[in-house]
Amino acid sequence: MNTTHSRHAVDVSGVVIGGDAPIVVQSMTNTDTADIAATVTQVRQLYEAGSELVRVTVNNDAAASAVPHIVEQLDSQGCRVPIIGDFHFNGHKLLRQHDACAQALAKYRINPGNVGRGKKRDPQFSEMIEVACRYDKPVRIGVNWGSLDQQLLANLLTRNADLADPLSLQSVNRQAVIDSALQSARLAEDIGLAANRIVISCKMSRVPDLVDVYQTLAQRCRYALHLGLTEAGMGDQGVIASSAALAILLDQGIGDTIRVSLTPEPGAAREREVRIAQQILQSLDIRAFSPSVTACPGCGRTTSEFFQVLARQIQQELDSSMPEWKHRYPGVETMKVAVMGCVVNGPGESKHANIGISLPGTGEQPVAPVYEDGNKTVTLKGDNIAAEFIGLVKAYVESHYGAA
């Protein structure tokens, strides 16, 4: 929830963005939308990973024709995640010519920089908004740094050049992104789209730019805000940049829905961006999605790799169990597990967790006390510590969350 201003609450087929609703995690497919089977499969994978909204590309007639079938197949499989249509350049034609697509989508994403040039811009934008009004569909007006309305930018640069103390090019670019979003939102309202059917995003590729733009947006409007660092990159670079940008804004109460736009490794699963988004929210104590494992980084006191192996086993066990646990054990996603490697911080961290184990470090007695809710309950010994502790974790889940 955005605390800078009270945000409009936007209902996207039952998933609420803004208002007092929890921050929503969303993602996007990278399949050819015309390939119905592949797109349905990937949407399901993203949904099962925790994506609460999924966006698909609608770039041609084949993609637009496929959308109703994709939604229908997902519904028949019990996967009722709202599907968002991503439109650029020809969205006005596709929405006009493919009525079934316009009705099947839960929300439209429109980029003001890509709806048309010159005199075509406003009429083509208006045509898309009119379809949204006709079918009561919310719209994300998503401005991208890399596809900014060049006429708007040129006008701002001309006015800036006439100032006694001109702003930097960077500042003018930021202002152009903000103005494009807000002017388009006001035009959409003038056409008839209610403010609580509009979501705004201003995607930038640099962390300082994104933070500055959204801090300004949060002060200037009450539209629900979609956060995301665009073109964040691959691997660690994309994860770190997205985490840095989103964490700053979310900690200030800015943002109602987020996407982590990672470039996946070739052939890699698309769901990673969903898990990173969840981890960002969970690390800030904004939402909880799965039990967390606290594990020490290791030092000269922990020359054995046993605690590292056990921490990984526990995390894998929690991850594999969560699809079932989230239905059987409400609240289990808030559970904290500690797997510590020596006596320095082991007992203390274990006591702070719901359940924790303090493994023996180098030269310590070969025993591992287990703590539940701050109290030592048992001391494990021998060669079967890992399996025994995993069994204790499962028993804790059953006893503490099963009643719910």
Side-chain angles (χ1 to χ4, degrees):
M1 180 180 64
N2 191 304
T3 56
T4 308
H5 280 304
S6 175
R7 301 281 128 198
H8 294 298
V10 182
D11 188 322
V12 185
S13 296
V15 176
V16 179
I17 300 173
D20 294 323
I23 294 170
V24 173
V25 172
Q26 60 178 282
S27 56
M28 184 176 184
T29 60
N30 62 354
T31 57
D32 178 356
T33 307
D35 186 338
I36 295 172
T39 303
V40 167
T41 297
Q42 191 172 80
V43 169
R44 279 193 62 89
Q45 290 169 343
L46 292 168
Y47 171 72
E48 289 167 1
S51 186
E52 294 156 305
L53 300 170
V54 177
R55 183 159 45 114
V56 301
T57 297
V58 187
N59 58 332
N60 53 39
D61 290 317
S65 296
V67 165
H69 302 290
I70 291 168
V71 173
E72 182 181 5
Q73 287 192 24
L74 290 167
D75 282 348
S76 70
Q77 297 173 22
C79 180
R80 292 180 173 82
V81 60
I83 301 299
I84 302 163
D86 191 64
F87 295 98
H88 297 271
F89 308 113
N90 60 351
H92 60 293
K93 292 181 180 178
L94 294 175
L95 286 172
R96 176 178 7 108
Q97 297 170 359
H98 295 271
D99 190 65
C101 171
Q103 293 187 64
L105 290 168
K107 180 160 75 82
Y108 309 153
R109 189 277 184 147
I110 303 173
N111 183 340
N114 288 340
V115 295
R117 299 285 184 257
K119 294 181 179 179
K120 294 181 178 180
R121 179 194 177 281
D122 286 354
Q124 291 177 179
F125 178 82
S126 299
E127 190 172 350
M128 298 179 76
I129 297 300
E130 287 166 0
V131 174
C133 292
R134 185 183 313 141
Y135 296 118
D136 191 26
K137 303 294 183 179
V139 171
R140 171 160 71 97
I141 295 174
V143 180
N144 265 39
W145 175 265
S147 52
L148 187 58
D149 183 333
Q150 293 303 300
Q151 186 59 54
L152 184 150
L153 177 60
N155 292 341
L156 283 178
L157 287 171
T158 298
R159 290 201 294 270
N160 185 63
D162 294 334
L163 297 176
D165 185 16
L167 301 173
S168 67
L169 177 59
Q170 194 82 353
S171 296
V172 176
N173 279 328
R174 290 174 176 175
Q175 187 59 53
V177 168
I178 294 168
D179 285 355
S180 177
L182 295 182
Q183 288 176 15
S184 296
R186 285 193 289 269
L187 176 56
E189 285 199 69
D190 289 342
I191 294 166
L193 191 65
N196 66 356
R197 305 305 276 157
I198 297 172
V199 180
I200 291 285
S201 72
C202 290
K203 296 288 192 75
M204 317 292 283
S205 57
R206 293 180 64 252
V207 173
D209 292 321
L210 190 82
V211 171
D212 180 84
V213 163
Y214 273 92
Q215 287 172 337
T216 303
L217 270 177
Q219 294 294 335
R220 289 185 55 185
C221 76
R222 293 182 56 211
Y223 299 116
L225 299 178
H226 170 120
L227 297 189
L229 191 73
T230 190
E231 286 92 41
M234 297 181 70
D236 291 347
Q237 173 188 324
V239 173
I240 293 167
S242 292
S243 300
L246 269 59
I248 292 170
L249 292 166
L250 291 168
D251 194 53
Q252 295 174 2
I254 298 172
D256 303 292
T257 179
I258 65 172
R259 182 194 171 200
V260 174
S261 301
L262 296 181
T263 303
E265 299 290 341
R270 190 73 164 175
E271 303 95 280
R272 188 183 183 212
E273 67 175 46
V274 177
R275 290 191 289 270
I276 297 299
Q278 291 176 331
Q279 288 167 13
I280 292 170
L281 293 174
Q282 186 150 334
S283 68
L284 294 168
D285 285 336
I286 293 173
R287 288 186 68 182
F289 296 93
S290 64
S292 59
V293 178
T294 299
C296 68
C299 66
R301 291 175 175 268
T302 56
T303 53
S304 167
E305 294 182 346
F306 185 75
F307 82 94
Q308 298 163 321
V309 173
L310 179 56
R312 183 177 62 192
Q313 288 177 329
I314 290 293
Q315 189 64 68
Q316 290 173 340
E317 185 69 32
L318 296 175
D319 290 343
S320 65
S321 299
M322 269 309 291
E324 177 188 357
W325 282 2
K326 67 183 179 182
H327 299 296
R328 291 185 59 190
Y329 305 115
V332 70
E333 65 276 4
T334 64
M335 183 176 71
K336 292 179 172 55
V337 181
V339 179
M340 303 302 295
C342 78
V343 75
V344 172
N345 290 317
E349 286 284 1
S350 296
K351 289 177 183 177
H352 287 305
N354 295 105
I355 181 169
I357 187 169
S358 179
L359 296 163
T362 305
E364 295 178 15
Q365 292 293 318
V367 297
V370 174
Y371 299 83
E372 294 186 17
D373 299 320
N375 300 308
K376 188 167 81 170
T377 56
V378 67
T379 299
L380 303 181
K381 304 177 183 179
D383 299 327
N384 204 32
I385 288 177
E388 290 179 10
F389 183 64
I390 289 173
L392 290 171
V393 171
K394 291 181 176 180
Y396 184 94
V397 171
E398 175 67 40
S399 62
H400 287 72
Y401 301 100

